[in-house]
Amino acid sequence: MAQDAYVVAFDTANEVVAIGIGRVCGACATACTLDDIVATREVAAHRASNTVLLAQLDEALAEAGVAKADIAAVVCGRGPGSFTGVRICMATAKGAASALEVPLFGVSTLDAVVWNAWASGVRGRVMCAADAMRKEVYPALFDVTDEGVRRLTTDTVVKAVDAPAWLAEATALVDGDASVQGVTPLIMGDGLAKYRTVFEPEGRIADEALWGVSGRGLLLAPRSGGDPATLLPVYTRLSDAEENERIRLSKEHEGKNLHTGVQLFDGSQDAAHPTYRPLDAAHAADVACLEQEVMGSDAWSAASVEDELPRKDRTWWAAFDGERLAGYCGGWIVDGQVQILKIATHPAYRRRGIAAELIALVADDARNLGASTMSLEVRASNAGAQTFYERMGLHAVGTRPRYYSDREDAVIMEGPLPQFRRDVAGMRLHVDDVAGPAPTADGEAASQAASRAKRAPLILAIESSCDETAASVVDGSGAILSDVVASQIDFHSRFGGVVPEIASRKHIEAICGVCDECLESAARSLGASRVRWRDLDAVAVTYAPGLVGALVVGVAFAKGAAWGADVPLIAVNHLEGHLYANKIATPDIKPPMVVSLVSGGHTMLVHVRDWGDYVTMGSTIDDAVGEAFDKVAKALGLGYPGGPIISKLAAKGDPKAIDFPRALMHSGDLRFSLSGLKTAVTTYIQKEQQAGRELNMPDIAASFQQAVVDVQVKKAMAALDETGAREFCVGGGVSANPGLRAAYEAACKKRGVRLSLPPLSACGDQAAMIALVALDRYRHGAFADLTLDVKAHAPLDEAY
């Protein structure tokens, strides 16, 4: 008799961890029936689901007598709900499904609530309203019959006080015929805990036991997806930063030339690669001009374009060569679908992939706003365009007779939103940027390299503390077998700094693709056909310090993967990783030593008495060095990130041109302060501008940089004197600064101290440094359990 197979389902979207276990039916893509349900449980989490989920899942499996080997699929709640709760659920599920090598399906949290009500005997019209925080709710309307649940509206978010108006409008749209309007719904959902008085006049309030998510509802609700890499949460809105950006851009005309149009193009095919950003009102006239050129009598006016931009159910993106418009695309998100309203590329910029990139950007926004499909119209005679859209997964579903102004028919094309198997959320993917120390002689032979036993332990490490999603595999000799980084810098640069909400969203999109690529790269290094999660000896992850929303994704995924592969979990402090980054260039480096950690979030001097034994000798009392570079670059209008831009300018300037202050230079201790220097630079800039003098940007950059370097070097040498250490190292993103590196080299050479500098590719955040820490912790048996949670702050001095 064949062994039974099971599906495990869980959700952490709100204050409850809900778990369900059911027997597999069909290909796991359909919902379970009541007879398939084996076990369910709901446990109050009180915002601690990251520490509770896997322990509860283990208990549920044990009580049901189900082994991990019997799991044929994982199902997770996709939301809508608490952003952090949804990401914990989905990241854990992605890690578990990846390691178990089973499909991952998603379930709407709202659907799960209503399906549980169906199983409890509820029939009729149902409204589910989940708490969306910020005095908002996620409402949805359903019809519940003996046959099951039919959803009537798509996911959205509304102010709680506006929910009655939403209900009236949704009911009118759904029912249509006046004779059936006004059906009194049964209202449920955890939004009632806060807003019951708002909903009581609108219908009957369900029993409180039916308000929350249950394991039974998760198993009964319809599933979507199957690929862990492409399954995404339900957000219903863009991040606050993106929404505010759309509002600003829709009003932004000042200082722009609205009449230049596309005639500025020189038509050169050798122009720089275009940049992509949301379309702004300042370029509406350019869009209208290009519309006239390529759309003829079907062209939109500038006013029509401007009217579109502030609408919350629209998304518009444009491609630019400098400030010149190269292409644009706009979409309308309605009823779970994005309808492409306009798309065009200037003739001089065609065949460069601009149209595909623009559609991908619109699709990404649409996905975040709850869409899952795309539709558009294309001229019946435009066979080339139809072929292009077919390659993107769209297919013809009908025609609109005489749709265009010249009476030509339009072919209607529809399909799923464009997705890719190795989805890294549109980020730039860097593979094997960091090369580890050469393998030992025993590992050089191909036959031995292919043997996992010869290279044990194999550890995969994950880093997601800020705006890079990274993974690396290290072997027992300390050789880095693979190192993969997906950078989000393009997403954050237009905001002038890292946006935590966007960072977290991008991590959840990219983490599967990054880890898949990392394992494949490790296999190539080993000469093996593949490396699977179950071939690893441990999974490591950065748990602190960093952005909580970003850390949560990496930690939850790593925990899910370690659980699924049944291997130990190793927690790593991000700052300790920067110490170990020096091992990449200098494998024989040994404590005692002094390390300068300089990055966007940290400026500190650390006495490394031994690996794992650290004393922070001094740190910044306000801004970090990297933060100061970013703020000065912003004051100069140079963009983000500021470090590389400032250092390039400084190379052309006079570091003695302007006498900027050196704060705490002679304080007698090892503290730092950058805030006053930053203020001095911005004050200088303002005075020069008020005097009508042109800014000497290279001199300002060089003088600012020199002020930073002077303090850093003086304090570092004082730390060496205080400790007597003969080794000095640097870590963190700012350690890539050429001026700082040169100053440290000169100072250490003068004192006869050995200096170790990480390779430029290892200065920023990457996972190779996390993997090297993890290797030492593995050797010492320093494992974490599955209750591991993240920390925004974690001093190096504290053991963990």
Side-chain angles (χ1 to χ4, degrees):
M1 182 177 178
Q3 186 175 8
D4 285 340
Y6 298 87
V7 57
V8 295
F10 48 83
D11 183 275
T12 61
N14 292 297
E15 292 295 308
V16 172
V17 170
I19 295 171
I21 301 172
R23 292 184 183 84
V24 166
C25 59
C28 307
T30 58
C32 290
T33 67
L34 283 170
D35 291 338
D36 296 321
I37 297 174
V38 174
T40 65
R41 63 169 51 198
E42 294 79 39
V43 180
H46 304 299
R47 298 191 178 184
S49 55
N50 203 19
T51 65
V52 171
L53 174 57
L54 288 172
Q56 289 294 326
L57 181 55
D58 273 336
E59 287 185 18
L61 288 168
E63 288 178 6
V66 175
K68 291 178 189 174
D70 299 330
I71 298 173
V74 175
V75 173
C76 69
R78 297 178 58 220
S82 158
F83 288 165
T84 299
V86 171
R87 286 179 199 130
I88 289 170
C89 177
M90 185 159 285
T92 304
K94 282 174 177 267
S98 296
L100 291 169
E101 298 179 2
V102 300
L104 173 63
F105 299 102
V107 166
S108 163
T109 302
L110 302 182
D111 287 4
V113 171
V114 179
W115 272 96
N116 182 57
W118 170 84
S120 299
V122 169
R123 299 294 182 267
R125 178 65 52 82
V126 169
M127 178 185 182
C128 185
D131 184 10
M133 311 299 286
R134 302 195 303 189
K135 297 183 179 180
E136 295 177 328
V137 293
Y138 300 113
L141 212 54
F142 302 83
D143 272 344
V144 183
T145 66
D146 289 342
E147 287 71 35
V149 176
R150 183 168 68 95
R151 181 189 266 262
L152 303 175
T153 60
T154 57
D155 289 309
T156 189
V157 61
V158 300
K159 293 292 183 183
V161 295
D162 296 330
W166 176 91
L167 176 60
E169 182 179 353
T171 300
L173 288 172
V174 167
D175 294 332
D177 189 337
S179 65
V180 297
Q181 287 186 22
V183 175
T184 302
L186 180 67
I187 304 175
M188 60 187 63
D190 63 6
L192 292 173
K194 291 181 180 178
Y195 309 113
R196 180 170 184 151
T197 56
V198 174
F199 289 102
E200 281 180 332
E202 309 306 319
R204 297 167 292 123
I205 302 299
D207 186 279
E208 191 171 345
L210 299 178
W211 292 4
V213 184
S214 68
R216 181 170 66 175
L218 290 168
L219 292 170
L220 295 174
R223 303 167 191 164
S224 62
D227 185 348
T230 56
L231 191 67
L232 298 175
V234 175
Y235 290 117
T236 74
R237 58 189 169 205
L238 301 176
S239 68
D240 288 347
E242 290 168 304
E243 286 188 348
N244 292 334
E245 178 190 50
R246 296 298 200 274
I247 294 170
R248 175 178 58 81
L249 293 178
S250 69
K251 301 175 180 177
E252 201 166 81
H253 290 89
E254 293 77 64
K256 304 288 186 179
N257 182 348
L258 301 184
H259 306 290
T260 54
V262 294
Q263 68 268 22
L264 286 174
F265 284 107
D266 58 13
S268 171
Q269 293 296 316
D270 298 321
H273 292 296
T275 58
Y276 299 88
R277 61 179 186 264
L279 180 63
D280 55 76
H283 289 88
D286 292 343
V287 171
C289 191
L290 184 51
E291 279 276 295
Q292 287 290 338
E293 182 169 345
V294 299
M295 301 293 182
S297 58
D298 293 297
W300 281 15
S301 66
S304 297
V305 175
E306 288 187 48
D307 182 62
E308 286 280 309
L309 297 181
R311 300 190 180 193
K312 289 192 174 182
D313 56 355
R314 305 292 205 273
T315 174
W316 285 82
W317 281 83
F320 295 93
D321 179 6
E323 282 300 312
R324 299 177 296 182
L325 185 71
Y328 55 88
C329 181
W332 174 25
I333 298 92
V334 58
D335 293 334
Q337 182 179 83
V338 58
Q339 299 177 9
I340 300 299
L341 300 171
K342 286 285 182 179
I343 180 167
T345 304
H346 187 277
Y349 285 79
R350 288 176 182 166
R351 299 188 182 279
R352 298 190 188 184
I354 290 176
E357 182 69 18
L358 288 169
I359 286 181
L361 289 164
V362 168
D364 188 55
D365 280 349
R367 190 178 292 114
N368 287 338
L369 291 169
S372 58
T373 61
M374 175 182 289
S375 70
L376 52 81
E377 290 87 18
V378 60
R379 286 181 176 272
S381 62
N382 195 342
Q386 292 174 43
T387 299
F388 168 74
Y389 295 129
E390 286 171 355
R391 288 200 300 267
M392 299 186 73
L394 306 184
H395 58 278
V397 296
T399 59
R400 297 192 193 280
R402 301 177 294 280
Y403 178 75
Y404 294 100
S405 58
D406 60 3
R407 313 293 286 175
E408 182 176 353
D409 293 350
V411 176
I412 306 168
M413 303 188 74
E414 290 185 358
L417 290 178
Q419 290 183 330
F420 304 94
R421 185 187 69 83
R422 184 62 49 78
D423 187 357
V424 291
M427 292 187 254
R428 291 180 290 173
L429 191 65
H430 306 281
V431 181
D432 292 332
D433 281 343
V434 179
T440 60
D442 289 339
E444 290 177 355
S447 60
Q448 292 174 324
S451 169
R452 172 183 170 277
K454 294 287 185 182
R455 306 297 290 264
L458 290 182
I459 302 171
L460 184 144
I462 295 167
E463 155 64 27
S464 70
S465 64
C466 191
D467 61 337
E468 269 84 29
T469 313
S472 180
V473 172
V474 66
D475 74 1
S477 73
I480 303 299
L481 303 181
S482 65
D483 196 61
V484 179
V485 181
S487 173
Q488 300 179 13
I489 190 169
D490 291 341
F491 294 96
H492 300 283
S493 60
R494 70 180 196 262
F495 298 104
V498 176
V499 179
E501 174 65 16
I502 294 176
S504 183
R505 291 187 183 208
K506 293 304 174 185
H507 285 311
I508 198 71
E509 293 177 49
I511 195 162
C512 278
V514 167
C515 289
D516 287 349
E517 182 63 49
C518 182
L519 289 170
E520 289 183 14
S521 179
R524 292 192 295 270
S525 295
L526 290 168
S529 59
R530 65 184 299 197
V531 173
R532 306 163 77 176
W533 287 97
R534 67 186 66 176
D535 296 327
L536 300 172
D537 295 286
V539 175
V541 65
T542 300
Y543 83 101
L547 302 175
V548 169
L551 288 166
V552 154
V553 175
V555 167
F557 181 91
K559 287 164 59 174
W563 178 87
D566 205 19
V567 298
L569 176 72
I570 301 173
V572 175
N573 184 304
H574 177 82
L575 297 178
E576 189 173 15
H578 280 303
L579 301 181
Y580 272 70
N582 287 279
K583 281 191 170 187
I584 296 171
T586 315
D588 65 339
I589 189 171
K590 293 180 180 179
M593 57 191 182
V594 170
V595 180
S596 172
L597 289 182
V598 280
S599 68
H602 304 278
T603 299
M604 56 199 302
L605 285 165
V606 180
H607 183 201
V608 179
R609 298 187 295 197
D610 197 355
W611 296 117
D613 182 4
Y614 312 119
V615 176
T616 300
M617 304 180 69
S619 58
T620 182
I621 61 175
D622 42 56
D623 291 351
V625 171
E627 184 180 3
F629 271 90
D630 288 339
K631 289 179 177 178
V632 168
K634 185 176 182 179
L636 290 170
L638 298 176
Y640 173 87
I645 305 172
I646 292 289
S647 66
K648 287 180 182 178
L649 267 180
K652 303 174 184 177
D654 179 2
K656 298 180 180 180
I658 308 162
D659 187 21
F660 288 131
R662 274 79 168 154
L664 301 182
M665 181 92 159
H666 305 290
S667 62
D669 57 35
L670 299 178
R671 295 176 302 152
F672 299 90
S673 174
L674 281 301
S675 179
L677 172 59
K678 176 260 300 180
T679 300
V681 176
T682 55
T683 300
Y684 175 86
I685 293 170
Q686 291 167 359
K687 288 182 177 179
E688 290 296 290
Q689 291 172 332
Q690 290 169 359
R693 290 187 288 268
E694 183 177 350
L695 295 177
N696 186 322
M697 307 279 267
D699 280 357
I700 295 172
S703 300
F704 160 72
Q705 179 175 282
Q706 192 61 48
V708 172
V709 168
D710 287 348
V711 177
Q712 292 297 313
V713 172
K714 180 177 177 59
K715 300 271 185 175
M717 296 306 105
L720 285 169
D721 290 342
E722 185 175 322
T723 61
R726 309 305 299 165
E727 295 263 7
F728 182 73
C729 307
V730 190
V734 183
S735 64
N737 181 279
L740 185 62
R741 292 169 80 97
Y744 277 140
E745 286 174 356
C748 288
K749 182 177 180 181
K750 184 177 179 179
R751 287 173 175 260
V753 172
R754 186 169 82 153
L755 171 67
S756 294
L757 292 168
L760 293 178
S761 56
C763 292
D765 294 346
Q766 29 75 33
M769 64 186 191
I770 305 302
L772 291 173
V773 178
L775 180 59
D776 270 4
R777 293 183 68 80
Y778 180 91
R779 289 166 174 160
H780 290 92
F783 301 130
D785 60 38
L786 296 179
T787 63
L788 175 69
D789 206 356
V790 305
K791 290 185 178 181
H793 306 284
L796 260 175
D797 310 56
E798 294 181 5
Y800 64 99

